[in-house]
Amino acid sequence: MLIAPSILAADFGKLKQECMMVNESKADWFHLDIMDGMFVPNISFGTPIIKAIAKTATKPLDIHLMIVNPDRYLDLFINLGADVLTVHYEACNHLHRTLEYIKSKGVKAGVAINPHTNVSSLESIIDMIDILCLMSVNPGFGGQKFIQSTYEKLTQAKSMIDNSFCRTLIEIDGGVSFTNASRLQELGADVLVAGSYVFSSKDPRLAIESLKNTHR
Ligand code: DX5
Ligand code: ZN
């Protein structure tokens, strides 16, 4: 199980320390949420903050683009050091081309789907997706409640991936905490994103460990 703390929930006044905490923890990736105020009703952060994170981070950067027409900015985020670059299915008119482009740059290609989007929408393209991100909240804000129907979507995604014999990892993003992590792992999740659960806990490193150590 890979754990990706979402920096959106970090204290930006001490960003460097927060990044060092993630470096020293059992976390696997840094999850960076990019919001444009168009695709989602919120604006997060951009280039200067990503540069600052990249300078300190010693683990892969998992960049989640919640922006309209992400093709305009793929090069920017690739050049900023994305190891995983995730676009939204709902924001792409030519998803096949977008994924081909990301992969051609040696970056892992992710596709996120909103809670209302069916997993089956990705059936014809699943073999091109390195990371399938199931949004378990409506994207735009941290600290929201986990949507229960995600469990069923996770089961569907897992069987779609198994049936097509591809190596796509399933990532769950939104409202993840110790209370749902073990069930998510049982159902086949590979990556858990967690923002507020990690950064608002008294001991963030321990919180990360508690997600990592859920038993099957
Ligand atoms: C939501 C973002 C998430 C968010 C998760 O739009 O994509 O990555 O930061 O935050 P929590 O874990 O607080 O739901
Ligand atoms: Zn995210």
Side-chain angles (χ1 to χ4, degrees):
M1 179 72 99
L2 303 177
I3 308 301
S6 173
I7 298 299
L8 187 67
D11 179 347
F12 284 72
K14 46 171 191 163
L15 187 57
K16 189 168 180 180
Q17 288 103 299
E18 299 279 57
C19 290
M20 279 162 57
M21 180 281 292
V22 176
N23 284 344
E24 289 155 15
S25 76
K26 297 228 162 97
D28 299 275
W29 295 349
F30 282 76
H31 185 84
L32 310 187
D33 288 308
I34 311 301
M35 306 177 181
D36 65 353
M38 296 286 286
F39 182 73
V40 290
N42 193 13
I43 297 175
S44 57
F45 53 83
T47 301
I49 299 285
I50 300 172
K51 277 190 179 160
I53 295 168
K55 221 167 147 184
T56 304
T58 56
K59 297 176 179 181
L61 303 184
D62 170 29
I63 302 190
H64 176 192
L65 300 182
M66 285 159 275
I67 65 176
V68 295
N69 192 7
D71 292 341
R72 296 170 298 160
Y73 291 108
L74 297 178
D75 283 328
L76 174 73
F77 293 105
I78 290 166
N79 292 332
L80 284 168
D83 295 280
V84 178
L85 190 54
T86 295
V87 295
H88 263 264
Y89 166 80
E90 301 85 1
C92 294
N93 287 331
H94 301 285
L95 185 59
H96 187 283
R97 181 184 292 149
T98 303
L99 297 181
E100 259 187 347
Y101 186 77
I102 296 172
K103 289 159 77 89
S104 77
K105 299 293 177 182
V107 173
K108 291 206 184 326
V111 176
I113 59 172
N114 282 336
H116 74 269
T117 300
N118 288 326
V119 166
S120 59
S121 309
L122 297 174
E123 205 159 2
S124 57
I125 206 170
I126 189 68
D127 59 322
M128 290 188 70
I129 303 176
D130 295 308
I131 318 292
L132 168 54
C133 176
L134 303 180
M135 291 307 304
S136 38
V137 297
N138 284 293
F141 302 93
Q144 300 182 84
K145 195 167 164 264
F146 182 87
I147 296 174
Q148 297 291 316
S149 56
T150 308
Y151 293 124
E152 200 184 325
K153 288 176 79 176
L154 171 55
T155 304
Q156 291 164 1
K158 179 76 180 146
S159 73
M160 184 170 86
I161 290 163
D162 288 348
N163 292 339
S164 42
F165 301 103
C166 51
R167 292 178 173 195
T168 309
L169 299 182
I170 304 175
E171 178 176 63
I172 307 294
D173 186 6
V176 171
S177 73
F178 179 66
T179 56
N180 49 27
S182 57
R183 184 156 174 211
L184 291 168
Q185 185 175 15
E186 272 164 26
L187 295 176
D190 303 290
V191 188
L192 298 181
V193 175
S196 42
Y197 174 68
V198 167
F199 288 98
S200 62
S201 81
K202 273 203 187 108
D203 187 340
R205 262 188 266 191
L206 212 63
I208 291 167
E209 220 167 295
S210 78
L211 296 175
K212 190 93 189 162
N213 288 337
T214 55
H215 297 294
R216 275 182 193 274

